[in-house]
């Protein structure tokens, strides 16, 4: 990339790949694939349909569907018209979708009418409540007559680099999400600034509704490689992700550290083809880096840092042997400028901690329909020589180590990172306080035994004498208002909030309370299982399986507020907790059930039946002779059908 010259538009680069590599696989999502020719044709046909309903340059196209190759088709179709795309899955709360439609002035919503999760009537109801007209386009609707070639009769729109390319929703402090608008020029610079070689096969363990997959997706498509992503089924399953990496002989992979640690045990020997793994979005510990080196000694590990408002990533740090803890987030990627500033926007001294500001071509345009919030976070760059240059205030604290690499030092505000996704603490608290039984809430990020981060909510009842809502009710309430990563996984009722000398809630005291409550208080409402379960010497036969599975749920979820027929995901479970649960089940019943099956077997009863099915009745045998001589059992032999290994030890 030549200094001072804009990077080429991603569509210009991809058009060359469409021409020269038509039969190469361009993108694979789960079990579905498209070649470059197919991707070109599909995107062209959808672009024609969108143009026919009035999509013009500068407008937004919402892609409302589960993750698949058609998601990528929709993204490219919007780009061809000079429009921007935004991806939101059907699982997203309706309030989030309507807020995006309202703030962005969305022109069209494209949905998969063959998916039971997005029936036409529900989609029409969704758009009807956003306060403005939105055209709804079904993927299986009438297609235009096929052209001789994808470009025949229509050329892609020519738009300036400042035109928006995509929007990504992030958490807002009021409980409503805000949409970050990223320009085509910023996306082009991200692709042009990458050091990875061309024509690689890449894998990104993330949803296309987030910005993390765009790093490798567009770099790969512009370079003529093959981009591999998990589909809806494989997204939370580390075994399935490892299988995709092996099957496609992936060369470069990207994931948050919390997913990297889960998939790593399934990748021994994959460094024969896997030459680089990029982690970002969360702190990377030295211990995890060493585990990576032990399993994949031939795979280079790189720690990266960025924000949605700075187009995915702006800092990178190759992880050497014996790394610092935490691993530094590195130095700026080409063209981006990093400032560490104090509260007066003055640079901090060497080794001092300051707030991290990002300037340069990857700074986003701002928040759609939110001028006040845009002005608060996107500031004039006092260090730039170009008039009108801006910098983004990240809210992250950092310092430079003796080598000049930056080290993350926490947050300057209430934002939290949960499995790579940025969450506003105030947004979660505001959502929980909208429940009629909750007067006040305080949310903290807590680290589990596997090193992953989750949200825990302490809440004060509006009426202490009234019956308290259970975990499932509070989870359902939060799920309806927040994205998946932003909903708490634990709920702890408190009698009052401790105050710090400043008069604010003392989060450190609450954190200590949560640590005590998680396993040492013996309160069955939070840590013990139903009926006082929790003993360590449960039998392993079929009749003991429900008790053991119940205890494993209690350990993994951190509470016992569930019944045998409750859905694991409705009482606080998620993909990481599923993996923790599988480890316990596998330790007791090796090979009985794969981790992927647990996404279908979601209740205690179903899982207990799967790991320890009812015994088959024995074949009839010849009757014993009358009055047989009694035989004494051998010394130490089990009696009453008990097995010698029936006792379970943690």
């Amino acid at each position: 990339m030549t200094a001072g010259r804009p990077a080429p538009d991603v569509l210009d680069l991809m058009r060359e790949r469409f021409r020269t590599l038509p039969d190469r696989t361009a993108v694979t999502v789960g079990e579905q694939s498209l070649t470059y020719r197919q991707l070109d044709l599909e995107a062209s046909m959808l672009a024609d349909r969108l143009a026919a309903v009035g999509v013009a340059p500068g407008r937004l196209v919402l892609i409302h569907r589960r993750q698949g190759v058609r998601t990528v088709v929709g993204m490219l179709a919007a780009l061809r018209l000079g429009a921007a795309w935004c991806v939101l899955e059907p699982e997203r709360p309706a309030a989030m979708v309507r807020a995006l439609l309202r703030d962005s002035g969305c022109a069209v919503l494209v949905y998969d009418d063959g998916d039971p999760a997005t029936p036409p009537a529900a989609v029409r109801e969704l758009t009807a409540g956003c306060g403005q007209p939105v055209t709804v386009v079904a993927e299986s609707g009438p297609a235009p007559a096929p052209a001789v070639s994808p470009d025949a009769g229509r050329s892609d729109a020519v738009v300036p680099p400042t035109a928006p390319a995509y929007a990504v929703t992030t958490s807002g402090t009021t409980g409503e999400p805000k949409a970050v608008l990223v320009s085509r020029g910023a996306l082009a610079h991200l692709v042009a600034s990458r050091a990875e070689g061309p024509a690689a096969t890449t894998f990104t363990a993330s949803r296309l509704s987030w910005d993390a997959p765009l790093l490798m997706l567009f770099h790969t498509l512009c370079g003529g490689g093959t981009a591999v992503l998990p589909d809806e089924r494989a997204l939370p399953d580390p075994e399935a992700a490892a299988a995709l990496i092996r099957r496609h002989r992936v060369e470069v992979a990207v994931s948050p550290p919390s997913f990297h640690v889960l998939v790593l045990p399934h990748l021994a020997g994959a460094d024969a083809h896997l030459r680089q793994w990029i982690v970002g979005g969360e702190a990377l510990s030295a211990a995890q880096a060493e585990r990576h080196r032990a399993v994949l000694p031939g795979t280079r590990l790189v720690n990266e840092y960025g924000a949605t408002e700075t187009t995915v990533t702006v800092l990178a740090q190759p992880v050497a042997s014996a790394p610092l803890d935490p691993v530094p987030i590195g130095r700026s990627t080409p063209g981006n400028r990093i400032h560490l500033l104090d509260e007066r926007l003055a640079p901090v001294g060497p080794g001092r901690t300051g707030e991290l500001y990002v300037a340069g071509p990857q700074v986003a345009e701002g928040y759609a329909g939110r001028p006040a919030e845009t002005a608060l976070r996107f500031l004039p760059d006092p260090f730039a020589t170009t008039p009108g240059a801006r910098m983004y205030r990240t809210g992250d604290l950092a310092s430079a180590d003796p080598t000049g690499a930056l080290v993350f030092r926490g947050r300057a505000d209430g934002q939290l990172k949960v499995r790579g996704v940025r969450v506003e603490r105030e947004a979660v608290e505001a959502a929980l306080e909208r429940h009629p039984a909750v007067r006040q809430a305080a949310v903290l990020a807590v680290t589990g035994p596997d090193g992953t981060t989750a949200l825990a909510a302490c809440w004060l009842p509006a009426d202490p004498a009234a019956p308290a809502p259970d975990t499932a009710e509070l989870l359902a309430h939060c799920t309806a208002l927040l994205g998946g990563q932003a909903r708490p996984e634990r709920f702890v009722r408190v009698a009052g909030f401790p105050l710090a000398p400043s008069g604010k809630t003392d989060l450190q005291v609450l954190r200590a309370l949560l640590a005590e409550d998680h396993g040492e208080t013996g309160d069955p409402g939070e840590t013990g299982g139903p009926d006082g379960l929790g003993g360590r010497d449960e039998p392993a036969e079929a009749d003991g399986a429900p008790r053991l599975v119940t205890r494993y749920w209690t350990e993994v979820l951190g509470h016992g507020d569930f019944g045998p027929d409750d859905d694991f995901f409705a009482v606080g479970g998620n993909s990481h907790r599923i993996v923790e649960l599988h480890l316990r089940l596998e330790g007791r019943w090796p090979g009985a059930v794969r981790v992927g099956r647990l996404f279908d077997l979601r209740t205690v009863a179903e899982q207990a039946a799967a790991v320890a099915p009812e015994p088959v009745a024995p074949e009839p045998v010849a009757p014993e002779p009358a009055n047989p001589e009694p035989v004494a059992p051998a010394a130490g032999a089990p009696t009453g059908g008990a097995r010698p290994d029936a006792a379970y030890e943690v």
Side-chain angles (χ1 to χ4, degrees):
M1 182 172 57
T2 305
R5 181 181 300 174
D9 189 83
V10 293
L11 271 183
D12 293 334
L13 296 174
M14 278 189 281
R15 190 179 292 108
E16 179 66 16
R17 306 309 169 196
F18 296 151
R19 185 181 66 83
T20 59
L21 299 169
D23 297 321
R24 176 163 187 164
T25 300
V27 59
T28 294
V29 182
E31 302 300 321
Q32 298 178 323
S33 297
L34 291 176
T35 65
Y36 278 90
R37 177 188 285 112
Q38 292 168 330
L39 179 60
D40 188 16
L41 181 59
E42 293 281 343
S44 179
M45 294 173 67
L46 181 57
D48 287 341
R49 292 185 60 207
L50 296 179
V53 297
V55 175
R59 301 301 301 274
L60 183 79
V61 175
L62 176 60
I63 304 168
H64 189 56
R65 68 172 339 273
R66 298 179 195 268
Q67 181 142 311
V69 292
R70 295 285 303 177
T71 311
V72 182
V73 168
M75 295 158 65
L76 297 190
L79 281 181
R80 287 194 152 181
L81 298 176
W85 82 81
C86 181
V87 179
L88 286 180
E89 299 91 352
E91 293 77 14
R92 294 296 189 98
M96 175 181 290
V97 180
R98 292 189 181 111
L100 173 74
L101 294 172
R102 181 192 67 238
D103 291 347
S104 65
C106 179
V108 168
L109 181 148
V110 178
Y111 75 102
D112 180 5
D113 52 327
D115 186 346
T118 51
V123 173
R124 287 193 295 269
E125 181 182 353
L126 185 68
T127 57
C130 71
Q132 65 177 46
V134 177
T135 303
V136 174
V137 175
E139 283 186 352
S140 65
V148 176
S149 70
D151 291 325
R154 180 184 56 79
S155 59
D156 295 332
V158 177
V159 293
T162 54
Y166 65 87
V168 175
T169 57
T170 66
S171 176
T173 55
T174 63
E176 280 196 349
K178 52 184 184 284
V180 181
L181 289 175
V182 178
S183 71
R184 294 173 77 109
L187 178 60
H189 186 274
L190 172 72
V191 171
S193 66
R194 301 304 302 179
E196 289 80 16
T201 299
T202 63
F203 175 83
T204 305
S206 185
R207 297 181 182 274
L208 286 164
S209 56
W210 302 344
D211 60 332
L214 306 183
L215 168 64
M216 281 296 109
L217 175 64
F218 280 93
H219 185 268
T220 303
L221 294 178
C222 291
T226 300
V228 180
L229 296 105
D231 60 12
E232 197 72 22
R233 294 289 300 173
L235 268 166
D237 187 344
E239 287 186 47
L244 284 171
I245 290 171
R246 291 183 184 277
R247 183 191 317 159
H248 297 283
R249 297 189 64 79
V250 166
E251 299 164 74
V252 180
V254 182
S255 77
S258 54
F259 191 84
H260 171 259
V261 75
L262 296 177
V263 75
L264 202 55
H266 307 288
L267 287 176
D271 52 344
H273 53 85
L274 186 58
R275 54 183 171 84
Q276 180 165 283
W277 195 294
I278 300 169
V279 294
E282 298 167 307
L284 174 67
S285 68
Q288 184 170 339
E290 292 302 326
R291 284 196 294 271
H292 171 94
R293 194 176 306 281
V295 177
L296 298 172
T299 301
R300 181 173 183 250
L301 183 63
V302 180
N303 191 30
E304 298 201 0
Y305 166 91
T308 299
E309 290 88 343
T310 61
T311 319
V312 189
T313 180
V314 291
L315 293 168
Q317 174 76 22
V319 182
S321 58
L324 299 174
D325 197 5
V327 176
I329 53 179
R331 296 171 174 81
S332 64
T333 53
N336 296 300
R337 302 188 308 277
I338 308 299
H339 307 302
L340 292 183
L341 308 178
D342 62 18
E343 63 276 4
R344 297 171 297 173
L345 299 185
V348 300
R352 301 286 300 276
T353 296
E355 189 169 353
L356 196 154
Y357 291 74
V358 178
Q362 287 182 209
V363 174
E365 298 303 296
Y367 303 114
R370 305 285 183 92
E373 293 187 53
T374 298
L376 191 64
R377 305 297 292 196
F378 295 85
L379 309 177
D381 182 2
F383 310 100
T385 58
T386 304
R390 300 171 308 138
M391 61 182 184
Y392 171 67
R393 180 182 184 181
T394 68
D396 288 331
L397 302 176
S399 63
D401 69 11
T403 70
L406 297 186
V407 180
F408 178 73
R409 300 299 185 190
R411 290 288 302 178
D413 54 24
Q415 284 188 351
L416 308 168
K417 274 289 183 75
V418 182
R419 297 189 294 282
V421 177
R422 200 171 71 220
V423 174
E424 296 273 4
R425 185 198 314 273
E426 294 93 338
V428 185
E429 293 170 346
L432 184 54
E433 288 170 357
R434 288 171 65 178
H435 191 286
V438 177
R439 188 174 83 194
Q440 185 179 355
V443 174
L444 299 90
V446 294
T447 303
D450 61 351
T452 61
T453 301
L455 296 182
C458 297
W459 62 280
L460 188 67
D463 180 2
D470 61 14
T471 298
E473 180 180 340
L474 293 175
L475 276 168
H477 169 80
C478 291
T479 300
L481 299 174
L482 302 164
Q485 245 76 338
R487 75 172 194 173
E489 296 175 19
R490 290 179 59 203
F491 296 87
V492 178
R493 178 177 171 173
V494 296
F497 283 108
L499 299 181
S502 64
K504 297 181 179 180
T505 300
D506 194 327
L507 298 180
Q508 295 304 318
V509 173
L510 284 181
R511 190 176 302 280
L513 171 66
L514 286 171
E516 177 184 349
D517 178 81
H518 201 276
E520 299 175 10
T521 64
D523 177 4
E526 294 294 340
T527 60
D531 303 320
L533 297 181
R536 297 180 180 273
D537 295 322
E538 301 289 353
E541 279 72 22
D543 61 347
R547 294 174 64 83
L548 266 179
V549 175
T550 296
R551 179 158 67 82
Y552 296 158
W553 277 42
T554 300
E555 294 170 353
V556 167
L557 296 173
H559 67 83
D561 195 4
F562 56 84
D565 297 314
D566 283 331
D567 188 301
F568 183 77
F569 293 93
V571 293
N574 59 36
S575 58
H576 289 268
R577 302 290 86 85
I578 276 282
V579 174
E580 289 184 50
L581 178 62
H582 181 259
L583 290 174
R584 287 165 167 78
L585 297 175
E586 184 71 10
R588 194 66 196 88
W589 295 282
V593 61
R594 289 184 63 256
V595 64
R597 283 282 291 143
L598 295 183
F599 291 95
D600 296 318
L601 306 173
R602 296 190 173 197
T603 70
V604 168
E606 291 172 339
Q607 293 174 6
V611 298
E614 290 294 328
V616 178
E619 294 289 334
V621 296
E624 293 286 343
N627 302 318
E629 289 291 328
V631 179
T639 60
R643 299 197 330 242
D645 63 345
Y648 173 75
E649 294 294 337
V650 175

